[in-house]
């Protein structure tokens, strides 16, 4: 699907160095993506773990580059406005990077006369809470529309739980989306701490996981073993697992390397709620962190709602 241009001389490679995710001495050149024309049958809204509301186009199935495509992300409200995307529109799509389905543009000549503009919901489709767009440091509104429901929004809670157990976080095997939704529906997992009480509560309420559909004695044992194993993980994994906005794996490692000890870290971010303290200056001065991420971390740990 493309070619890679690279420096062959080792000394030149060392001179130009590497980025976090790729070397500077190698550049990928993608061949033009294959395109196709299909129809948008509906636009759904997906709510992420930070409350971000992402519009997703449900497409009339089409084969592009040997892959059957039925969905394509529309990114945000502004993307829909800019391209004037509507339900029922014929659109040109491609697989961006030969991977991600992308709506390139609308074929206006095929638009129906009774077509209506898509109105982005003013309330979260999952919990009914009001939507909002935060004001950025430059005074402009963030392009992402968010649900204000927080822990009252089931989608946000479930997505946070999925993130918490993911491979780069606590890496709890046997606890994927399907299993989390199952436990959520049964009322056994509502927040992070419930994961670690699952085995105890299973026996306490005589739920008997091994007798549930899709489960057996060994799969239940494997899940409990994986949960117990996750109680001892690297500090950065725990920080990343909490799903703090703007904190990815690399930022979590920076925080972990700087503070070393989780108890010391929690003490410092608590003191950092006062922006006049040395603790606050320290966290925003960490190379690679800065005020935006530092404020996000401090606000997370000083929000009592996150630890109820």
């Amino acid at each position: 699907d493309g070619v890679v241009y690279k420096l062959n001389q080792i000394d030149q490679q060392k001179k130009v160095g590497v980025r976090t995710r790729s070397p500077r001495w190698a550049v990928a050149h993608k061949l033009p993506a294959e395109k196709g024309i299909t129809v948008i049958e509906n636009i759904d809204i997906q709510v992420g773990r930070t409350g971000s509301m992402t519009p997703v186009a449900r497409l009339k199935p089409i084969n592009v580059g040997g892959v059957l495509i039925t969905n394509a992300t529309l990114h945000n409200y502004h993307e829909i406005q800019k391209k004037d995307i509507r339900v029922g529109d014929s659109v040109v799509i491609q697989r961006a990077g030969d991977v991600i389905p992308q709506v390139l543009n609308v074929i206006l000549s095929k638009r129906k006369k009774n077509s209506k503009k898509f109105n982005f919901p003013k309330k979260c489709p999952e919990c009914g809470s009001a939507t909002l767009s935060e004001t950025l440091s430059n005074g402009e509104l963030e392009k992402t529309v968010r649900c204000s429901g927080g822990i009252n929004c089931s989608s946000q809670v479930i997505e946070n739980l999925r993130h918490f157990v993911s491979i780069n976080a606590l890496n709890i095997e046997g606890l994927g989306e399907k299993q989390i939704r199952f436990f959520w529906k049964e009322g056994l997992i509502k927040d992070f701490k419930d994961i670690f009480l699952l085995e105890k509560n299973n026996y306490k309420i005589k739920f008997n996981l091994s007798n549930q559909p899709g489960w057996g004695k060994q799969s239940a044992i494997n899940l409990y073993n994986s949960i117990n194993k996750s109680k001892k993980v690297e500090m950065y994994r725990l920080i990343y697992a909490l799903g703090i906005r703007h904190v990815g794996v690399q930022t979590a490692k920076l925080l972990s390397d700087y503070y070393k000890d989780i108890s010391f870290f929690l003490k410092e971010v608590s003191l950092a709620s006062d922006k006049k303290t040395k603790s606050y200056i320290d966290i925003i001065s960490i190379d690679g962190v800065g005020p935006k991420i530092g404020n996000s971390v401090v606000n997370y740990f000083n929000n009592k709602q996150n630890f109820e």
Side-chain angles (χ1 to χ4, degrees), residues 32-43:
E34 186 176 336
K35 298 178 177 63
I37 297 175
T38 188
V39 175
I40 295 180
E41 297 183 326
N42 203 359
I43 298 177

Side-chain angles (χ1 to χ4, degrees), residues 86-89 108-117:
R86 307 181 185 185
V87 174
D89 276 346
L108 295 176
S109 61
K110 293 187 176 184
R111 173 171 285 171
K112 297 177 182 179
K113 291 183 179 180
N114 61 352
S115 173
K116 295 181 180 179
K117 283 185 175 290

Side-chain angles (χ1 to χ4, degrees), residues 7 41 54 87 119 144 204 224 228 255:
L7 292 171
E41 297 183 326
T54 304
V87 174
N119 293 317
T144 301
K204 187 176 180 181
Y224 296 144
N228 289 329
L255 293 168

Side-chain angles (χ1 to χ4, degrees), residues 160-305:
N160 266 304
L161 289 169
R162 286 182 59 196
H163 177 80
F164 188 74
V165 304
S166 63
I167 190 169
N168 288 320
L170 265 63
N171 191 22
I172 301 178
E173 296 180 7
L175 199 56
E177 179 181 3
K178 181 180 177 181
Q179 292 77 21
I180 287 174
R181 290 188 180 278
F182 167 75
F183 287 122
W184 170 271
K185 184 178 179 181
E186 295 294 332
L188 291 172
I189 294 181
K190 293 296 183 182
D191 54 33
F192 299 151
K193 70 176 184 299
D194 288 341
I195 294 173
F196 302 102
L197 297 173
L198 191 59
E199 183 176 11
K200 178 181 177 181
N201 289 339
N202 179 44
Y203 296 116
K204 187 176 180 181
I205 65 176
K206 298 180 180 179
F207 179 72
N208 202 347
L209 178 59
S210 59
N211 290 338
Q212 301 303 313
W215 293 89
K217 183 177 180 180
Q218 191 58 49
S219 59
I221 290 173
N222 290 343
L223 173 61
Y224 296 144
N225 287 341
S226 185
I227 291 173
N228 289 329
K229 182 181 177 181
S230 74
K231 292 177 182 178
K232 294 182 179 180
V233 295
E234 296 97 326
M235 180 176 163
Y236 83 86
R237 284 183 174 271
L238 177 58
I239 295 173
Y240 173 70
L242 294 174
I244 305 167
R245 281 188 66 187
H246 312 304
V247 176
V249 174
Q250 294 305 319
T251 302
K253 286 181 177 179
L254 291 175
L255 293 168
S256 178
D257 291 344
Y258 183 83
Y259 289 101
K260 309 292 185 185
D261 178 76
I262 190 68
S263 297
F264 177 61
F265 171 66
L266 294 175
K267 177 183 176 183
E268 286 298 292
V269 292
S270 176
L271 294 172
S273 60
D274 182 349
K275 295 186 177 182
K276 296 179 181 180
T277 61
K278 179 179 179 298
S279 299
Y280 176 76
I281 301 300
D282 284 346
I283 193 169
I284 67 170
S285 299
I286 298 173
D287 187 26
V289 176
K292 180 180 178 179
I293 298 175
N295 285 328
S296 184
V297 172
V298 171
N299 291 339
Y300 179 90
F301 284 100
N302 287 282
N303 184 350
K304 294 181 179 179
Q305 190 182 54

Side-chain angles (χ1 to χ4, degrees), residues 19-56:
R19 302 184 186 90
T20 302
R21 297 176 60 184
S22 63
R24 288 193 176 90
W25 45 264
V27 179
H29 180 104
K30 287 284 185 179
L31 300 178
E34 186 176 336
K35 298 178 177 63
I37 297 175
T38 188
V39 175
I40 295 180
E41 297 183 326
N42 203 359
I43 298 177
D44 293 338
I45 303 295
Q46 293 182 344
V47 184
R49 62 183 177 84
T50 62
S52 59
M53 297 172 62
T54 304
V56 178

